[in-house]
Amino acid sequence: AGSGRGPSYPRIILKCGDISCNVHARIRNYTTEFESCRLEAVSLEFGDYHPLKPITVTESKTKKMSRKGSTSSTSSSSSSSVMDPLSSVLDGTDPLSLFAATADPVTDSTRKKRDKEDHLAVGSDFEPWSSKRGEILARYTTTEKLSIVSKVTTPGSAVSEKVRTRLEELDDLEEGSQKELLNLTQQDYINRIEELNQSLKDAWSSDQKVKALKIVIQCSKLLSDTTVIQFYPSKFVLITDILDTFGKLVYERILSMCVDSRVSLPDNFTPESINDTAKETCLNWFFKIASIRELIPRFYVEAAILKCNKFLSKTGISECLPRLTSMIRGIGDPLVAVCARAYLCRVGMEVAPHLKESLNKNFFDFLLTFKQIHGDTVQNQLVVQCVEIPLYLTLYSPAIDWILQCIAYRAPEGLLTEMMERCKKLGNNALLLNSVMSAFRAEFIAARSMDFIAMIKECDESGFPKHLLFRSLGLNLALADPPESDRLQILNEAWKVITKLKNPQDYINCAEVWVEYTCRHFTKREVNTVLADVIKHMTPDRAFEEAYPQLQSIIQKVITYFHDFSILFSVEKFLPFLDMFQKECVRVEVCKCIMEAFIKHQQESTKDPVILNALLHVCKTMHDSVNALTLEDEKRMLAALINGFIKMVSFGRDFEQQLSFYVEARSMFCNLEPVLVQLIHSVNQLAMETRKVMKGNHSRKTAAFVRACVAFCFITIPSLSSIFARLNLYLHSGQVALANQCLSQADAFFKAAVSLVPEVPKMINIDGKMRPSETFLLEFLCNFFSTLLIVPDHPEQGVLFLVRGLLNVIQDYTWEENCDDKIRIYTNVLHLLSAMTQETYIYHVDKVDSNDTLYGGDSKFLAEINKVCETVITQILDHLKTLGKDEALKRQSQLALYFFNTILAHGDLRNNKLNQLSVNLWNLAQKHGFADTKTMVKTLEYIKKRSKQPEMSHFAELALRLPLQSRT
């Protein structure tokens, strides 16, 4: 090699020479090195500085003088003052305060107006119509054939629309060519309505406003048809969706005519701010609608654009609502009329929620006409359609519920009293009573629970079943508590009715609600009674198979209120209740629900045999559901739940019982690999805890138990499919065996790990994606090397038998081309070998003699280490030579610097040949210009700094021989 000085780089020769003649690892004093790494303590004069001391700010002011000629002068002044950087916030000069100061002041009148608007607006506590829409569509279905009247559009219709008068166009709508689509299924009907909705939007976007109006009128007419009466609530939902779309389009159209390019219209605009064009257009729409001859479409279309009255008059909405309410009196069919009232209340709540008079008037009008339900016209219609009166009455529920919800919103408690009195006057009509309980606040209902029960008892059973009333009452009591003195009587009165129900579906729908009330206010005795009654009703004819959702809900409610699982599983009928879940997918979901609750609420570990037996059964159910088609995400979820249970089981100092539990768990959960991994970790932890607790006279017993734990792990690890899980567990289990002085068992684990390395594939699956495995292998081997330092040699296996065996495996392993991980591993081996030459190792295992104690620095032992070092260094240098091609020069530079740092940290650089090798590596790292200049500079600075330490003066000479590459 060259002299190593100057910017030129002579030919570099890399060879070991005869550095193997002596051990050249640096002698380490770990205690001294550790102390040198401590942060230096610095004395601090608190009189001069303190982090909480106020800051002194120097302010410089510069005045720029007039530019006469070409000269300018500045004057500056400085002033020192004590300032708190946060004090400006308190005096109102922070940025937000300044911003607020520049904003327009809020006058009292503006604030009062805004408060009034907030009071009038519907809050988030009001359940919107959109949340009810899906439930209505799902509940009110039919298998009957439906029909729909569709307008026939002729090719010339688009032209004729331009020349006809608006009134003639409306006449054409009502008298023109039409066709009736017959024999439509429910889905076909829904699809056709959706097509009409889209046609409305398309017509509007293409500026065919009259055509859009025709579509809306045509759809509104469908609401007068009750030929398939059980589908009517769903039809009402679908048609009013179209009306809502139309109302929104009209409103936005008129609003856009009011917006100036420079000034936008405020939300709380007044009619005075609306221009004449917009008002004329708005009036034109109302005139068109007034020309519709039929009542029902005229009512619905006008109600849809009710909000547009804001453009015409401040009192327009308040005047229109009573008129529209009166119009509904002309609708003869009571079901059609109540739905119309519901729509008017819905629109009214959106545009004027403060106008309660209109809401009340609609409901009271409905009460006056309620007797029509039992009239001949309705009864004859029901006979024709073969619809029973109880089913027919349920068709009213969505509309009445909505009207009462609007009325009850933020209403005083006194209004409920009035409604109850009106219900009594109508003979405690069950339909109305049910809607009242659904609409008013649960607190109001709960406080009058006994009054409602008395009214329910007096209701006529034929029209609306009493169990539905008790269900509605139960829903309220799940949200609010009744008076404590009434609670038991309430439950008894309700359950008298519920338990007499013969129809299993009616029974379970009602029982599901009252289970929560029982769990909320009573003990396990009452809950057990209720569960027993559910089992009694749902077991005959396997009725439970049709009620899995309700049964799941019952389980969920029970575990929500019983967090103490020792009490829960002592409920006699709880496990028999679980037996009703015969369908596997449902049973597994219930088991998952139970385990999630246990993991969430169980605060302390348990050894309660009742809990353990029950939860082992639950976990076994989840485990046995796993098959070849189970998704990986599902497997991970199930394993996490089972592992959560395993972690919560503790038998205290009864370690043998704990190990027996783990053995049983292994046999039960063998198909879930993460559970086996958790069990191995738990057993290893158990072995370590045993060592800490059992000492002295119990040492033999302890050793036998630890060997049993070790055997558990050694038997279980091979059953894992993940090779890196096996490698890491072999290493971990070997470390545990070593810590417990089980040397032969530790050797067995480490040998197994060494023999497994050749089986590591090139690619492994990580979260569903194939990744190169060499990074993971490198990490594992580095951890393995750290453990091998303290593993004593076997007396019959020779010096460094595990290290030699591992190096042979690394040498024979097929590494990826263009990969340097093998050499990085060899470099880490040099770290291990350097540590092995020290007189005292950096760490030890208690009561285990490592090689530093066994060999005591014997020259033969050191010579063996030196031979291994020579072999490893030769491998590294040979690899560096193979990287001399252009495409590999950057890798050569990086590896050379990596090897240089290893020698710098672990080698004795007082040895001339090792010193020369380090210089050659330094030069090689820079030879082709791929070295990072900042890294090289920092490394050299580090060497110079180290040269000032005792016994490191030779670093100064080394620093002089390490040139830095100049970049020109």
Side-chain angles (χ1 to χ4, degrees):
S3 63
R5 298 180 184 277
S8 60
Y9 292 88
R11 180 170 176 264
I12 298 171
I13 301 174
L14 293 175
K15 61 180 181 179
C16 272
D18 58 351
I19 65 169
S20 62
C21 59
N22 291 298
V23 175
H24 299 297
R26 179 166 64 86
I27 304 300
R28 310 286 292 274
N29 187 327
Y30 293 116
T31 303
T32 303
E33 290 184 27
F34 179 75
E35 290 296 331
S36 67
C37 294
R38 291 183 181 274
L39 294 176
E40 183 180 358
V42 179
S43 59
L44 182 63
E45 295 292 338
F46 288 104
D48 298 333
Y49 168 78
H50 190 276
L52 299 181
K53 182 179 179 180
I55 301 173
T56 300
V57 180
T58 302
E59 180 183 4
S60 296
K61 297 180 180 179
T62 302
K63 297 179 181 179
K64 198 163 186 178
M65 309 301 291
S66 59
R67 299 186 60 184
K68 282 190 176 181
S70 59
T71 62
S72 64
S73 62
T74 62
S75 65
S76 65
S77 64
S78 65
S79 62
S80 296
S81 61
V82 178
M83 295 179 60
D84 180 357
L86 299 179
S87 62
S88 58
V89 178
L90 302 177
D91 62 12
T93 59
D94 64 290
L96 293 178
S97 298
L98 292 173
F99 177 79
T102 59
D104 294 335
V106 179
T107 63
D108 290 341
S109 60
T110 304
R111 185 180 290 109
K112 289 179 180 178
K113 187 174 183 181
R114 184 181 302 166
D115 292 343
K116 183 179 179 182
E117 289 170 1
D118 292 340
H119 174 71
L120 298 181
V122 175
S124 58
D125 55 337
F126 184 80
E127 185 180 5
W129 174 258
S130 58
S131 66
K132 299 177 179 293
R133 179 183 182 278
E135 180 185 351
I136 296 172
L137 290 175
R139 180 180 177 186
Y140 298 98
T141 60
T142 183
T143 57
E144 300 289 331
K145 296 300 182 181
L146 304 166
S147 63
I148 185 171
V149 177
S150 176
K151 175 74 173 64
V152 178
T153 305
T154 61
S157 61
V159 177
S160 65
E161 286 173 1
K162 297 180 181 180
V163 296
R164 292 175 182 164
T165 63
R166 289 165 183 161
L167 183 58
E168 288 174 340
E169 289 169 343
L170 294 173
D171 287 340
D172 177 63
L173 169 71
E174 296 186 304
E175 299 173 358
S177 301
Q178 296 179 345
K179 68 176 181 179
E180 187 174 13
L181 301 178
L182 302 174
N183 297 323
L184 297 177
T185 65
Q186 177 179 316
Q187 189 58 49
D188 292 337
Y189 190 92
I190 293 173
N191 293 340
R192 179 57 186 154
I193 295 296
E194 290 176 351
E195 290 174 8
L196 288 172
N197 199 354
Q198 187 59 46
S199 298
L200 167 65
K201 296 176 183 178
D202 294 341
W204 191 273
S205 61
S206 60
D207 204 29
Q208 299 183 58
K209 304 297 189 296
V210 174
K211 181 180 178 181
L213 178 59
K214 289 180 178 181
I215 294 173
V216 175
I217 296 173
Q218 174 186 336
C219 293
S220 301
K221 284 185 175 183
L222 298 175
L223 291 175
S224 61
D225 177 21
T226 58
T227 51
V228 184
I229 200 165
Q230 63 267 36
F231 184 66
Y232 191 83
S234 291
K235 181 198 291 189
F236 170 75
V237 169
L238 297 170
I239 300 301
T240 53
D241 284 348
I242 297 178
L243 289 165
D244 292 341
T245 300
F246 177 72
K248 183 179 179 181
L249 291 173
V250 173
Y251 182 83
E252 291 178 350
R253 165 66 176 160
I254 300 173
L255 185 64
S256 66
M257 300 173 69
C258 305
V259 177
D260 190 275
S261 59
R262 294 165 296 177
V263 182
S264 60
L265 197 65
D267 293 337
N268 55 343
F269 65 86
T270 60
E272 290 76 15
S273 60
I274 307 301
N275 58 53
D276 292 340
T277 304
K279 286 185 177 180
E280 183 180 353
T281 303
C282 185
L283 281 170
N284 189 28
W285 277 109
F286 281 109
F287 290 153
K288 286 180 183 177
I289 294 167
S291 301
I292 302 173
R293 286 197 286 264
E294 293 188 25
L295 173 61
I296 289 179
R298 184 169 72 250
F299 163 79
Y300 273 106
V301 179
E302 182 175 356
I305 67 166
L306 179 66
K307 190 177 181 181
C308 294
N309 280 282
K310 292 174 61 177
F311 298 111
L312 301 176
S313 169
K314 291 182 179 179
T315 60
I317 293 176
S318 60
E319 293 171 354
C320 282
L321 280 172
R323 179 172 55 81
L324 291 172
T325 301
S326 299
M327 285 175 63
I328 300 175
R329 297 176 181 174
I331 301 176
D333 191 301
L335 179 60
V336 177
V338 77
C339 288
R341 296 186 188 282
Y343 184 70
L344 184 59
C345 290
R346 173 149 71 92
V347 175
M349 284 296 289
E350 291 175 1
V351 300
H354 59 289
L355 298 177
K356 293 287 189 178
E357 297 83 0
S358 173
L359 300 174
N360 295 340
K361 185 64 175 173
N362 271 286
F363 183 69
F364 297 148
D365 279 1
F366 165 71
L367 294 182
L368 291 174
T369 59
F370 189 74
K371 58 182 181 227
Q372 288 181 294
I373 294 176
H374 302 286
D376 293 341
T377 304
V378 172
Q379 294 299 319
N380 292 336
Q381 183 183 24
L382 297 182
V383 170
V384 171
Q385 297 195 35
C386 300
V387 175
E388 298 292 335
I389 189 67
L391 175 61
Y392 175 69
L393 289 177
T394 62
L395 304 180
Y396 285 79
S397 293
I400 299 175
D401 288 349
W402 178 259
I403 295 171
L404 280 171
Q405 178 184 325
C406 297
I407 292 173
Y409 179 64
R410 295 182 180 176
E413 194 169 357
L415 182 60
L416 174 58
T417 305
E418 181 183 351
M419 290 296 176
M420 293 174 68
E421 292 299 324
R422 287 182 176 267
C423 286
K424 290 179 181 178
K425 289 180 181 178
L426 287 173
N428 289 328
N429 182 272
L431 176 64
L432 297 180
L433 194 59
N434 187 68
S435 295
V436 168
M437 288 191 290
S438 301
F440 282 85
R441 289 174 55 185
E443 294 83 354
F444 297 168
I445 304 297
R448 295 169 170 79
S449 297
M450 293 306 300
D451 294 335
F452 276 103
I453 288 177
M455 295 173 68
I456 292 172
K457 286 182 176 180
E458 297 175 5
C459 287
D460 182 11
E461 182 80 24
S462 61
F464 197 93
K466 288 184 179 180
H467 69 85
L468 294 180
L469 298 176
F470 275 107
R471 185 179 189 278
S472 296
L473 179 60
L475 289 172
N476 282 283
L477 296 180
L479 300 174
D481 299 333
E484 188 171 355
S485 58
D486 296 339
R487 291 174 184 175
L488 182 58
Q489 186 179 357
I490 291 170
L491 178 60
N492 290 333
E493 293 291 345
W495 209 259
K496 285 178 186 177
V497 175
I498 297 170
T499 195
K500 292 178 181 178
L501 294 174
K502 302 300 182 182
N503 184 295
Q505 201 62 40
D506 291 342
Y507 171 84
I508 196 62
N509 285 336
C510 201
E512 172 202 358
V513 173
W514 282 88
V515 163
E516 182 167 5
Y517 174 80
T518 309
C519 295
R520 188 182 179 107
H521 299 296
F522 299 98
T523 65
K524 70 174 186 178
R525 185 172 67 89
E526 289 80 9
V527 173
N528 188 65
T529 302
V530 170
L531 294 182
D533 196 60
V534 174
I535 295 172
K536 176 183 175 182
H537 279 78
M538 302 307 295
T539 303
D541 300 324
R542 299 179 67 88
F544 54 77
E545 292 181 343
E546 303 298 326
Y548 283 139
Q550 294 89 337
L551 295 175
Q552 282 182 269
S553 176
I554 290 175
I555 287 291
Q556 181 65 58
K557 289 178 171 68
V558 172
I559 63 178
T560 297
Y561 289 95
F562 284 82
H563 295 166
D564 188 337
F565 276 73
S566 61
I567 295 177
L568 176 64
F569 289 124
S570 66
V571 175
E572 182 183 354
K573 295 299 181 179
F574 183 77
L575 292 179
F577 190 93
L578 294 181
D579 292 337
M580 287 195 293
F581 295 98
Q582 298 290 315
K583 191 176 181 180
E584 184 181 63
C585 61
V586 179
R587 186 168 67 250
V588 171
E589 286 300 318
V590 171
C591 291
K592 285 161 62 175
C593 181
I594 294 172
M595 292 310 304
E596 287 170 357
F598 175 79
I599 294 170
K600 179 179 180 181
H601 298 297
Q602 186 72 20
Q603 300 296 326
E604 298 178 353
S605 56
T606 182
K607 61 177 181 180
D608 188 327
V610 175
I611 294 178
L612 297 188
N613 290 333
L615 291 185
L616 278 173
H617 172 71
V618 170
C619 291
K620 178 66 172 173
T621 300
M622 295 192 300
H623 169 271
D624 292 348
S625 69
V626 175
N627 54 45
L629 300 179
T630 306
L631 298 176
E632 290 300 319
D633 286 344
E634 178 70 7
K635 289 182 182 178
R636 278 194 290 269
M637 180 184 296
L638 296 177
L641 293 174
I642 296 174
N643 285 341
F645 164 60
I646 291 173
K647 292 176 184 177
M648 294 302 298
V649 176
S650 174
F651 289 87
R653 294 196 175 188
D654 191 349
F655 299 121
E656 293 182 356
Q657 185 66 31
Q658 188 81 35
L659 182 59
S660 297
F661 169 78
Y662 291 145
V663 171
E664 182 182 4
R666 179 181 62 183
S667 66
M668 296 177 71
F669 310 128
C670 56
N671 289 334
L672 288 173
E673 188 162 306
V675 177
L676 296 180
V677 172
Q678 176 61 47
L679 288 171
I680 294 170
H681 283 302
S682 298
V683 170
N684 279 327
Q685 183 179 1
L686 180 64
M688 297 303 295
E689 290 177 358
T690 306
R691 186 71 185 174
K692 294 177 183 177
V693 175
M694 301 178 69
K695 297 179 181 179
N697 296 331
H698 300 284
S699 58
R700 291 185 178 179
K701 184 177 180 181
T702 303
F705 180 78
V706 170
R707 285 195 293 271
C709 292
V710 169
F712 177 98
C713 298
F714 197 78
I715 293 171
T716 308
I717 293 174
S719 63
L720 304 178
S721 62
S722 170
I723 193 164
F724 278 102
R726 280 183 279 162
L727 284 171
N728 288 309
L729 287 171
Y730 274 134
L731 178 57
H732 182 217
S733 301
Q735 292 168 342
V736 172
L738 192 64
N740 285 278
Q741 297 95 50
C742 298
L743 301 185
S744 60
Q745 286 86 352
D747 283 347
F749 280 115
F750 297 142
K751 286 179 182 178
V754 171
S755 63
L756 192 59
V757 170
E759 299 179 20
V760 176
K762 298 295 179 293
M763 305 291 289
I764 56 174
N765 189 314
I766 303 293
D767 294 332
K769 297 181 180 179
M770 300 305 293
R771 305 290 189 192
S773 64
E774 292 184 351
T775 302
F776 300 95
L777 181 58
L778 177 60
E779 179 184 0
F780 165 76
L781 291 174
C782 290
N783 291 335
F784 201 178
F785 295 150
S786 299
T787 302
L788 290 179
L789 173 64
I790 53 174
V791 177
D793 284 341
H794 194 286
E796 299 178 1
Q797 298 290 341
V799 179
L800 304 179
F801 76 102
L802 283 174
V803 175
R804 292 178 185 274
L806 186 56
L807 286 174
N808 290 335
V809 168
I810 295 170
Q811 177 65 29
D812 296 338
Y813 186 79
T814 305
W815 299 87
E816 289 287 339
E817 295 183 7
N818 303 322
C819 177
D820 302 317
D821 285 339
K822 178 179 179 181
I823 303 307
R824 295 184 184 277
I825 292 172
Y826 280 151
T827 307
N828 286 322
V829 171
L830 292 178
H831 302 171
L832 168 63
L833 296 174
S834 171
M836 283 183 165
T837 63
Q838 304 302 316
E839 184 176 348
T840 302
Y841 290 170
I842 188 171
Y843 47 82
H844 294 86
V845 174
D846 186 34
K847 297 183 181 179
V848 174
D849 293 331
S850 299
N851 285 341
D852 58 342
T853 303
L854 294 178
Y855 292 108
D858 183 75
S859 58
K860 292 182 179 179
F861 173 66
L862 298 178
E864 289 296 326
I865 293 177
N866 200 54
K867 288 180 183 179
V868 178
C869 282
E870 179 184 0
T871 303
V872 172
I873 291 175
T874 300
Q875 291 283 342
I876 295 172
L877 297 181
D878 288 345
H879 184 78
L880 284 171
K881 291 176 183 178
T882 63
L883 300 178
K885 299 179 181 179
D886 291 343
E887 64 275 8
L889 292 177
K890 185 175 181 179
R891 290 165 52 203
Q892 185 188 61
S893 173
Q894 293 172 343
L895 280 180
L897 183 60
Y898 187 64
F899 189 23
F900 170 84
N901 287 329
T902 294
I903 295 176
L904 188 67
H906 299 279
D908 185 359
L909 292 175
R910 288 174 293 188
N911 177 274
N912 292 333
K913 293 185 178 180
L914 195 58
N915 191 298
Q916 183 59 50
L917 177 60
S918 66
V919 173
N920 291 346
L921 290 169
W922 177 272
N923 292 333
L924 181 62
Q926 299 184 96
K927 181 177 180 181
H928 300 287
F930 288 103
D932 181 65
T933 304
K934 290 183 179 179
T935 302
M936 304 302 287
V937 169
K938 289 182 179 180
T939 303
L940 188 57
E941 289 175 354
Y942 167 78
I943 294 172
K944 292 177 180 178
K945 183 178 179 180
R946 290 290 304 275
S947 67
K948 298 177 182 178
Q949 297 179 0
E951 300 182 0
M952 302 297 287
S953 58
H954 56 285
F955 270 39
E957 179 185 353
L958 175 64
L960 295 174
R961 299 180 64 196
L962 301 179
L964 286 173
Q965 182 181 23
S966 59
R967 295 181 179 272
T968 56

